[in-house]
Amino acid sequence: MTMETPKPVKELVLRRQVYTQIDFDQTYLDQAEPSSACQKMKKLCQCSPRRVGRTLVGYVPLVNFLRRYNWRDWIIPDLVSGLTVGFNHFAQGLGFGILASLKPVNGLYSSFIPIVIYMVFGTCPHVSMGTNAIIALLTATVVNREADAYVQSLDIKISEDDVMNYKVSVSAATCFVAGILLLGMGVFRLGFITNYFAKSFIGGFTFASAMHITTSQLVKMMHLTFRPRSGPGNLVLTYMDICKNITDSNLGDILVGVVCMVVLLAVKIGINEKFKDKMRYPVPIELIVIVVSTIISHFAQLHQRFGIAIVGSVPTGFPTPSLPPLELLPRVAQDAFVIGILCYASTITLGKLCAKMHSYEIDDNQELISYGLCNLVGSFFQNFPSCTAPPRAMMLSSLGARSTLNGLSSAAFILLVVLVVGQLFVSLPIAMLSAMIIAAMKDLLLLIRETKSLWRVNKADFVIWVLTAAVSILVDLDIGLLTGVAFSLLTVVLVSQTAAGTVLGRADTEDVVCDEKRRGIHTVPGVRVFRFESQLYFASAERFKNQLYALVFDPNKNKKPKKD
């Protein structure tokens, strides 16, 4: 038996002088030419045709989309997904126009203009700007309040048409102010505020939005006609109204909605999701169900025989563009601010969710500009405030939309509906549309499963998720939005103020460095490694110093007393 000679251990010794920042800067001079604030400003203000062109192109993302667009593989998914979402726009536009206490056709106007604007200026392929149930409810609150005040201020009685025209003016003014707000935020590059939207906040807020939308569509699917609730506690009050009026529901509408929902979910889950790797394009089941249900409803006379609610007649034509009444802007400014922020939060959260699902990035500042233009331009065409809606985003995601060009077929369909073929869908059952929207909420409602992993990984994120969702559901979405953002920021402060400092040691048997309090870990003689589990800035500096002095060395206790 022979003994192997142990190999000599190579040691690496690092020697360097301990520097202050001033000494380091003097020893290793920065050879870059110093530039003053004036020189930096002069460089930013330099202008050339190439730079101007590059800047303008940067504000029109559609140009870059077209440069790298794969026409062979992308055009069919874009056209199919856009056309399917166009049917959804048609249905939601009519319904949410009424929900906003306006004419149904105002919902179609609020669907067409934002689609076209976002297609040119937007950056997220899965965002389809248009009507939204929550925004429609908030708009209804504003226009009804202002209309009541307007009628009371008059000495004479006016017709319902005059009242409706005034409501349309109020909604356009609200849309105008919200557009100015969002556009200004985009121009001044305030998109960074989304960095303070924690992922747990986004998840909780999106789940709550899905709950609100599902509830609003459940009422329609049951054909209940009570007055929509708004304000704090509106979701709870809506379910109380459902229970009170359950006997007034129409069994025919419920059966149509349930059958359509079963078919939609069966194809989505059993075919599109299960065989998505083997299918080049998913089955456009929403489009198929809309066409089939319209044909059946027409020839079976479901409305006449069973009282099933249908879309009914659709007015044709577009309004002449006009400036919203400027005298109304101060009256709606506060409400428009809340609505604008809610439009931004609702759309950017869904955009970021889809971007994460499909592994791409969106430009927050450019998104703000596009949202602002959608509302600003739309206000000249009798629009109410617009944003995306979860059903449309989820449809575009499931149908494989590749770029914002999907808005081309959506806008073309809405244009045909408004100008020509709206009457072909007179017999379309409203219960079917509600079932389609509820089925599209499946993935968003299942976000509640995130709470289990959040509880195991990070208790603070769990609290943010639950608190945001609970306040948004039990109180209202705008209050939940402010609560979620405020608590997210408060969490950042609390984490920095409770950060723990530890002294690290080395294991006896291997190169492992961790907390010295663990078994088998000892500090290296003459060396102290201090770890502080937080970023170092003004709010955490004092705690960092106290922890360092307590665990490593306190220079104040080792000062020699001065001699007299």
Side-chain angles (χ1 to χ4, degrees):
M1 179 175 173
T2 59
M3 296 291 292
E4 294 184 0
T5 305
K7 297 181 180 179
V9 179
K10 294 183 179 180
E11 294 184 357
L12 177 63
V13 180
L14 300 177
R15 291 188 178 91
R16 72 171 182 85
Q17 187 173 341
V18 178
Y19 292 99
T20 63
Q21 185 64 51
I22 296 176
D23 293 337
F24 183 84
D25 291 339
Q26 290 177 349
T27 303
Y28 299 97
L29 294 175
D30 187 358
Q31 296 181 355
E33 295 182 2
S35 58
S36 63
C38 294
Q39 290 174 327
K40 293 180 179 178
M41 185 63 67
K42 182 179 179 181
K43 186 176 180 180
L44 290 174
C45 294
Q46 288 178 351
C47 183
S48 65
R50 184 177 180 181
R51 186 167 187 174
V52 171
R54 189 186 307 155
T55 302
L56 292 177
V57 169
Y59 284 112
V60 187
L62 182 63
V63 175
N64 291 325
F65 272 132
L66 292 176
R67 285 177 178 174
R68 62 176 187 270
Y69 194 80
N70 187 338
W71 293 93
R72 180 178 178 181
D73 296 332
W74 295 2
I75 189 64
I76 298 300
D78 276 344
L79 291 178
V80 171
S81 61
L83 185 59
T84 305
V85 171
F87 276 85
N88 188 267
H89 271 293
F90 167 65
Q92 290 185 340
L94 295 175
F96 295 161
I98 298 173
L99 189 60
S101 194
L102 303 172
K103 302 174 185 177
V105 73
N106 289 111
L108 295 180
Y109 299 155
S110 300
S111 298
F112 176 74
I113 300 297
I115 292 174
V116 176
I117 299 298
Y118 188 82
M119 180 179 67
V120 178
F121 296 98
T123 65
C124 180
H126 301 105
V127 164
S128 184
M129 296 291 286
T131 56
N132 179 284
I134 306 304
I135 301 303
L137 287 173
L138 295 176
T139 303
T141 302
V142 179
V143 299
N144 287 330
R145 182 195 68 205
E146 295 299 322
D148 291 342
Y150 175 70
V151 172
Q152 292 175 5
S153 66
L154 299 176
D155 297 329
I156 58 175
K157 187 176 181 179
I158 60 176
S159 65
E160 290 293 328
D161 290 339
D162 291 334
V163 175
M164 180 58 68
N165 291 335
Y166 187 78
K167 287 183 176 182
V168 171
S169 299
V170 172
S171 69
T174 306
C175 190
F176 182 85
V177 176
I180 291 291
L181 168 69
L182 295 173
L183 183 60
M185 291 174 64
V187 170
F188 288 103
R189 318 297 289 176
L190 298 182
F192 69 87
I193 64 175
T194 58
N195 296 332
Y196 296 96
F197 289 176
K199 291 182 180 179
S200 52
F201 157 72
I202 293 175
F205 184 79
T206 304
F207 172 78
S209 300
M211 285 290 296
H212 278 269
I213 293 171
T214 300
T215 302
S216 69
Q217 299 307 310
L218 186 63
V219 173
K220 291 184 179 181
M221 195 173 76
M222 299 175 70
H223 199 173
L224 297 176
T225 56
F226 55 82
R227 184 181 178 86
R229 295 283 188 169
S230 60
N234 63 83
L235 193 66
V236 177
L237 294 174
T238 298
Y239 278 107
M240 292 175 63
D241 290 338
I242 291 175
C243 295
K244 291 178 182 177
N245 297 275
I246 191 70
T247 55
D248 297 331
S249 58
N250 189 315
L251 182 60
D253 287 271
I254 296 175
L255 288 175
V256 169
V258 170
V259 170
C260 291
M261 194 183 305
V262 169
V263 173
L264 288 166
L265 291 176
V267 175
K268 281 186 173 184
I269 299 174
I271 298 178
N272 288 351
E273 293 182 7
K274 187 175 182 179
F275 301 103
K276 62 180 179 180
D277 296 332
K278 299 180 181 179
M279 300 171 60
R280 186 172 183 180
Y281 305 115
V283 177
I285 186 60
E286 292 88 357
L287 183 60
I288 295 172
V289 171
I290 286 176
V291 174
V292 172
S293 62
T294 302
I295 294 173
I296 294 175
S297 175
H298 175 74
F299 288 102
Q301 297 182 341
L302 298 182
H303 176 65
Q304 294 83 352
R305 297 173 62 184
F306 305 104
I308 292 176
I310 58 175
V311 170
S313 61
V314 180
T316 58
F318 269 99
T320 303
S322 60
L323 182 69
L326 300 180
E327 64 272 12
L328 293 176
L329 302 187
R331 299 180 62 88
V332 301
Q334 182 177 352
D335 299 281
F337 176 82
V338 175
I339 290 175
I341 295 299
L342 195 56
C343 286
Y344 173 55
S346 301
T347 307
I348 201 67
T349 50
L350 274 173
K352 285 184 174 292
L353 180 65
C354 292
K356 180 181 177 182
M357 290 169 59
H358 296 274
S359 302
Y360 63 86
E361 298 292 333
I362 60 176
D363 187 337
D364 296 338
N365 294 308
Q366 182 61 35
E367 285 292 292
L368 273 169
I369 291 174
S370 65
Y371 305 159
L373 289 174
C374 287
N375 285 280
L376 183 61
V377 177
S379 67
F380 291 88
F381 293 90
Q382 300 182 8
N383 286 194
F384 56 88
S386 62
C387 65
T388 194
R392 298 195 296 270
M394 292 301 102
M395 284 181 190
L396 289 174
S397 175
S398 62
L399 292 172
R402 298 289 186 164
S403 73
T404 58
L405 279 180
N406 64 75
L408 188 62
S409 53
S410 297
F413 175 75
I414 296 297
L415 184 63
L416 284 174
V417 168
V418 174
L419 298 181
V420 182
V421 299
Q423 296 305 317
L424 294 179
F425 297 96
V426 168
S427 300
L428 179 62
I430 292 179
M432 181 272 138
L433 301 173
S434 299
M436 183 175 65
I437 294 172
I438 294 174
M441 292 292 101
K442 174 181 71 70
D443 292 334
L444 299 185
L445 292 173
L446 290 177
L447 288 175
I448 196 172
R449 295 182 298 185
E450 291 183 349
T451 55
K452 185 176 181 180
S453 61
L454 287 175
W455 175 258
R456 293 198 304 262
V457 175
N458 192 313
K459 301 296 189 295
D461 280 340
F462 173 83
V463 173
I464 292 173
W465 199 106
V466 172
L467 182 65
T468 303
V471 175
S472 299
I473 291 172
L474 299 177
V475 185
D476 208 351
L477 278 177
D478 53 348
I479 305 299
L481 171 69
L482 297 176
T483 302
V485 173
F487 192 77
S488 297
L489 296 176
L490 178 62
T491 302
V492 174
V493 176
L494 292 176
V495 168
S496 66
Q497 294 303 310
T498 58
T502 56
V503 175
L504 305 182
R506 181 179 177 183
D508 297 332
T509 58
E510 58 180 334
D511 289 332
V512 172
V513 178
C514 58
D515 190 350
E516 66 171 351
K517 296 179 181 179
R518 292 177 178 269
R519 185 177 61 186
I521 303 298
H522 302 285
T523 57
V524 180
V527 177
R528 290 293 182 271
V529 180
F530 177 73
R531 180 176 67 187
F532 187 66
E533 297 180 355
S534 176
Q535 293 183 346
L536 187 60
Y537 63 111
F538 70 93
S540 60
E542 188 65 24
R543 182 170 180 83
F544 172 81
K545 186 185 75 172
N546 294 336
Q547 293 274 321
L548 181 65
Y549 284 6
L551 298 175
V552 180
F553 176 74
D554 187 351
N556 297 320
K557 295 181 180 180
N558 293 273
K559 286 183 178 180
K560 295 181 179 180
K562 294 182 179 179
K563 296 181 179 181
D564 296 334

